[in-house]
Amino acid sequence: MSGGAVAGPDGRLRCPWGLSTEDYVTYHDEEWGRPVHGDDALFERLSLEAFQSGLSWITILRRREGFRQAFADFRIASVAAFTDTDNERLLGDPGIIRNRLKIEATVSNAQVLSGWPAGELDALIWSYAPDPAGRRAPRTIADVPAVTDESTALSKDLKKRGLRFVGPTTAYALMQACGLVDDHLAGCMARRATPAT
């Protein structure tokens, strides 16, 4: 079936995008769609998804270590303490995407999140995970949505709480990357046998 899982060089079936580069093979097999918990870890993913807006994910993936160095490993408390001087430093950092609005949004989001109790970001994001029993495995890439009711609701909630660059498409990409939904195609070797806990 066109657009369905494809056999890689090792003979194992994968989502077609997961075979396009070696970086994607590793990310697809070991990370994408696996449950992520922890406020700092989710802040990193949310920030990277925001930086990805308008770009290909491979651009972000290949600069992830640069982002981690530039943004203090995405420790919310550390990024929340960034100043205008840090923002200017980031604008000159070739290891990241130098977009002023996205940089300022990342720092602003950290400042908002630094006022939340520990575990609140994790609990909030995961409260929007749909029941996996009600979701059929996508058979082709065309079956994978870009936005869902849950991602729209998550986006609205995050925005209401003061976060920026968290539109419904970014929220859904976060949900996919962090395992709130399993959008690996039917037959893909990385598709979970059991739902996230």
Side-chain angles (χ1 to χ4, degrees), residues 110-148:
Q111 291 167 346
V112 169
L113 294 172
S114 69
W116 292 16
E120 186 167 343
L121 178 62
D122 187 306
L124 174 70
I125 289 174
W126 277 90
S127 73
Y128 286 94
D131 180 358
R135 290 178 53 90
R136 296 177 63 184
R139 300 195 63 73
T140 70
I141 293 295
D143 296 331
V144 179
V147 175
T148 63

Side-chain angles (χ1 to χ4, degrees), residues 8-82:
D10 59 1
R12 300 170 81 190
L13 292 176
R14 291 179 175 85
C15 302
W17 66 265
L19 288 167
S20 59
T21 72
E22 194 59 41
D23 293 321
Y24 269 160
V25 171
T26 301
Y27 179 67
H28 170 274
D29 290 2
E30 299 175 8
E31 192 170 349
W32 192 76
R34 303 216 189 271
V36 174
H37 286 281
D39 292 346
D40 290 343
L42 288 166
F43 171 61
E44 174 184 353
R45 301 303 179 80
L46 185 62
S47 300
L48 293 177
E49 293 295 348
F51 271 100
Q52 185 271 331
S53 180
L55 302 169
S56 69
W57 180 246
I58 196 68
T59 301
I60 303 302
L61 192 59
R62 288 179 174 162
R63 295 183 183 191
R64 185 155 61 169
E65 287 310 313
F67 274 107
R68 286 175 172 164
Q69 290 176 16
F71 284 98
D73 287 324
F74 290 96
R75 291 184 303 273
I76 292 170
S78 298
V79 178
F82 280 16

